[in-house]
Each structure stands twice: as C-alpha cells, then as structure tokens.
Amino acid sequence: MRTPVSSFRSLVQPGRLVRVAGAHTALGGRLAQEAGFDAVWSSSLEVSASRVLPDASVLTMTEYLEAAANMQKALGVPVVADCDSGYGNNANAQHMVHEYEAAGITAISVEDKKFPKMNSFADWGDSLVSTEEFCRKLTTAKDSQTSSDFFVIARTEALINGLPVTEALSRAHAYAGAGADAILIHSKESTNHQVLAFLEKWEGRLPVVVVPTTYPDWQADHMAAAGVSVVIYANHGLRATITSLRHTYSSILTNGDTTKLEEELAPVRDVFALQELPAWQALD
C-alpha cells in the first residue's frame, strides 16, 4: 500500500522548480500528493495551529517530529520538516538530525532565529542569532547526519527582521560555507522585490527556496526563470480548512440540516479511498 519514497535531494535538480505544499496531518499531506505536489512541508505553524497553540516553540521537538513522521509514513513523496530554530543549542541540533533522519525524513529547514522562536509574521522585534552562532549550528547538523541524502535548508530571517538584502546575502554565503544544502530566503513584503534582488546577486551558489505567503501573485514559471529551485506554499491548506469548516458548521446550524452542503462535501467513499480501505479489507 506504500510506495518507496525518493529523497528530497533527488528532486532538487537544475532547471526544475520543486513545488511543496504545507500540511499538518497525513490526510492533508495525502491530498497535497494527490493534487500533484512534489513534496510536503510539515509546517510548524500548521502543526501548532492544529493544537490551537501559537507557533512560538510551545510544542516540543518530539511533537513536531511525530507530525512529520506520521505524514511521511502515509506518503509517496518526501516530507520537508520545518524545524524552526533547531529546538535549542548545538546539542539539540545534533539530536534533531539524529531523530528526524531515523524517522525517514530526508530534508529539514532550520532558521537563524533565537530559541524560542516566534512566527515570522508576528510583530516581535529582533529575533536573529549571530551569523557565527548559526553557522556552528549548521555545521553541527551536517556533521550529525549519517546519510549523504539528508538535506539541510538554511533559512535566513534577515529580511523579516528589516535588515537589507546585503545582510541576507552575507548570511546566506556564510551558511553555504558552513555546509547548508540550500538557502531559504524569507520576506514579509507584499511584493517579491526583495527576493528578486537577492536572487540577482546570489549567482546560483546553492538552490534557493522561497515561501510566497505575502506575495501570492508570483507565478511558478516566473519563479523558475528568476532562479528559484523550490517554492513552499506553507499554510494555504490550513487557511482553506479554517474557511471551509467555518462555512460548513455555520450552514448546519443556520439551516437545521445538511441538505445545502451535500453537493459541496466529499462523499464517504472518498474517505474510504484515502484510507485505502479495500486494501486493508483484503488482508483479512
């Protein structure tokens, strides 16, 4: 019932844009895979929100790992785990790599924020560690992996913190030197101008990952032409779920029955198909 999963590294190839969808459950990941996404992002925002908790290092590494591992067990595409700032110091980073790798996760993202972290779009002021401190964490992470396939994305929050593109570039080059496999450049501007300025100066040293949450009008073909290797639609599934559930529950209470909803809802047979129920029944 499960197909072998290729490593995330095998997807990141010159001239190809890898498209990744955020999720927080195996079901959400399966729907992303069904839609045709290349990989699934185990989003710390989504996992936290699913527990009605803030994306602020409230949950533990074990809880985030469980969510990512449950997704990976159900999918035929790789999971990229959002590991925030690495759950602590270098010792935590080493333990993180050991545990995620053992769980079958082939890619993680770690950001240059202080621990505990706060979500990038929350108003929280300066949150960065020094370049040198984060480089040591990246080196520790890379030295801790046992498989050459394991892929570490270094995420810089320099632009999120109001620093110039030159600072983001300086940090990204240092992170490349520390062994990172890709750079995630994050911005909360309403346009892609900062990211484009970064890409123009980056010269393709490592693959570049973007998360266009606040600049949604950047079309995928244009991203690829600008030099983007991976795009993560990090929280759209969560936001769609909130909208859909609000509409569904409100309609039931307003109308007193579900008649008006039935044409909008997935039939139960779709649930059985996602569960692979016939294959499980065949075992008995």
Side-chain angles (χ1 to χ4, degrees):
M1 291 183 286
R2 301 285 181 252
T3 57
V5 180
S6 300
S7 69
F8 184 75
R9 182 182 296 279
S10 69
L11 300 179
V12 184
Q13 301 292 335
R16 178 185 182 184
L17 179 67
V18 179
R19 293 194 280 187
V20 186
H24 59 274
T25 64
L27 178 60
R30 177 64 67 86
L31 291 171
Q33 175 182 303
E34 184 182 274
F37 280 91
D38 301 302
V40 170
W41 173 251
S42 181
S43 163
S44 65
L45 171 61
E46 290 208 12
V47 173
S48 299
S50 73
R51 299 276 299 272
V52 200
L53 291 169
D55 180 24
S57 297
V58 174
L59 295 178
T60 66
M61 184 201 80
T62 303
E63 290 168 302
Y64 286 120
L65 173 58
E66 181 180 27
N70 283 339
M71 283 187 248
Q72 190 63 87
K73 285 183 284 190
L75 300 181
V77 297
V79 168
V80 182
D82 179 6
C83 291
D84 293 338
S85 53
Y87 309 115
N89 61 18
N90 290 349
N92 297 105
Q94 182 181 66
H95 180 57
M96 168 190 69
V97 170
H98 178 269
E99 293 298 299
Y100 275 83
E101 196 175 22
I105 304 299
T106 62
I108 62 170
S109 173
V110 189
E111 60 202 56
D112 54 3
K113 282 182 180 175
K114 300 171 184 174
F115 178 85
K117 58 78 61 92
M118 178 62 69
N119 183 271
S120 299
F121 301 124
D123 185 12
W124 196 246
D126 178 41
S127 63
L128 297 183
V129 298
S130 70
T131 301
E132 295 73 22
E133 180 178 342
F134 192 63
C135 282
R136 288 193 294 273
K137 184 173 288 185
L138 289 173
T139 300
T140 299
K142 291 300 295 179
D143 287 347
S144 303
Q145 70 186 65
T146 59
S147 167
S148 59
D149 268 346
F150 196 71
F151 196 90
V152 176
I153 300 169
R155 167 173 162 174
T156 181
E157 298 279 290
L159 301 180
I160 294 290
N161 277 261
L163 298 172
V165 172
T166 52
E167 175 64 18
L169 284 162
S170 175
R171 284 177 172 261
H173 281 293
Y175 301 163
D181 296 297
I183 298 297
L184 193 161
I185 180 68
H186 205 12
S187 171
K188 60 183 177 182
E189 294 296 306
S190 59
T191 72
N192 62 1
H193 295 169
Q194 285 185 322
V195 176
L196 283 172
F198 177 93
L199 288 164
E200 287 169 3
K201 299 289 187 181
W202 178 239
E203 298 179 347
R205 184 175 177 185
L206 286 179
V208 172
V209 183
V210 300
V211 186
T213 302
T214 59
Y215 45 99
D217 57 342
W218 201 10
Q219 205 273 338
D221 290 341
H222 298 163
M223 290 184 196
V228 174
S229 295
V230 180
V231 55
I232 300 173
Y233 300 96
N235 50 52
H236 298 74
L238 170 70
R239 290 155 60 196
T241 299
I242 292 169
T243 300
S244 180
L245 289 179
R246 278 181 172 156
H247 166 66
T248 298
Y249 295 153
S250 175
S251 176
I252 293 170
L253 289 178
T254 299
N255 296 302
D257 60 38
T258 65
T259 305
K260 290 187 176 181
L261 289 171
E262 291 303 325
E263 291 187 0
E264 303 175 18
L265 300 178
V268 174
R269 65 176 178 274
D270 278 5
V271 179
F272 290 162
L274 288 163
Q275 293 171 316
E276 301 176 337
L277 182 60
W280 287 99
Q281 289 174 320
L283 296 175
D284 190 355

